[in-house]
Amino acid sequence: MKIGIVCYPTFGGSGVLATELGIALSDKGYEVHFITYEQPVRLTQGFHPNIYFHEVKVPTYPLFDFPPYETALASAMVNVIVNQQLDLLHLHYAIPHASAAYFARQILKKSGKDIPFITTLHGTDITLVGKDATYAPVVTFSINESDAITAVSENLKEETLRSFTIEKEIHVIPNFVDVKRFHQTDKNHFKQMLAPDGERILVHVSNFRTVKRVPDVVKIFAEVKKEIPAKLLMIGDGPDRQNVEELARSMGLYSDVRFLGKQEQISEILSISDLFLLPSQTESFGLSALEAMACSVPVISSNAGGLPEINVHGKTGFLSDVGDIASMANHAISILKDDETLLHFKKAAIAHARKFEKQHIIPQYEKLYEQVIADYKTNRKPCS
Ligand code: GMT
């Protein structure tokens, strides 16, 4: 089977998941074609003979204040579908991928070369951006025109049904983790450098957008540090990074907080970490927390969105109300206070993460692909 995957190529969770899915499918013998504007970040690690990357180029012109990416993307989809004889398109993040795919499919119907498309909803395409009136009509239409719709958590499915008029079933296929790549490895020399006096290491990974409430991470850390010697690693970059660096400086914490920026070897950093902090305003799933758990790192998170579906309160970590810094700090201290308790949470974190191992999840996508392709062939209607 030849599958086209359309995603954002950046460090965001939807692009990471799409890339991991493409790699897993190619390992199983599928031919995978990524269609996006840059090489997806996780695709830069190693060569995969069944994976092709098609760059969407968006030419500029003095008339364009906003170069039309969606048009360029739809044209790229048409070219790749025809030239590579794809069987299916799988879109990650609805905007603008689903509407571009609808457009491409309409174009191809004229020549009978049209193929079905599946849209996977990831989070902010529904919870923040998608339901904004600026985009909502196009998002609703193109989700409904998808041949199948998936959501990465039960919570996101419910949120989608609350916010849009959806006429089709939404299949929940949770995100997954490759435990062969994400597991704790011995990086003690590295830990020694960052925490020379045996301090606990707390870590946060995100795109530093407002929705992540990154200032809360620093405030939680400040409370923890009053009780337990600790260091904080901040991984990623984005609009709030500068403010948060300033906050850490103004709170006198800068020597204990390291802003490492975007990193590719996340599992190595997670391997030396004791606790993952994710106090998000909204989070449809929290892939970064799952990757942390796979590396035996317990999670202190908010209880927003789909987070309770992966972080089990009192077992793999703790959940608190959004913005409740005192509660998150107290829970963090309760995990970090002694080695025995920490080890207990670490073991529970990895055990729970294994339920989301890729071999349990990928077959759900494969089954859906086969069904969608078969149904499309049966119900195919020529363009009127
Ligand atoms: O805003 C982000 O966190 C990035 C965003 C994306 O789509 O790139 O992440 C969303 O998709 C991830 C993968 O499915 C989920 O793990 C994240 O929870 C989700 N983010 C939000 O809902 C805020």
Side-chain angles (χ1 to χ4, degrees), residues 12-14 93 122-124 175 207 209 212 282-287:
S14 62
Y93 206 92
H122 277 273
T124 51
N175 287 337
N207 47 29
R209 293 198 204 128
K212 301 291 177 184
T282 159
E283 198 72 67
S284 69
F285 184 90
L287 182 60

Side-chain angles (χ1 to χ4, degrees), residues 128-140:
L128 285 180
V129 196
K131 66 183 177 196
D132 187 297
T134 326
Y135 298 113
V138 173
V139 173
T140 311

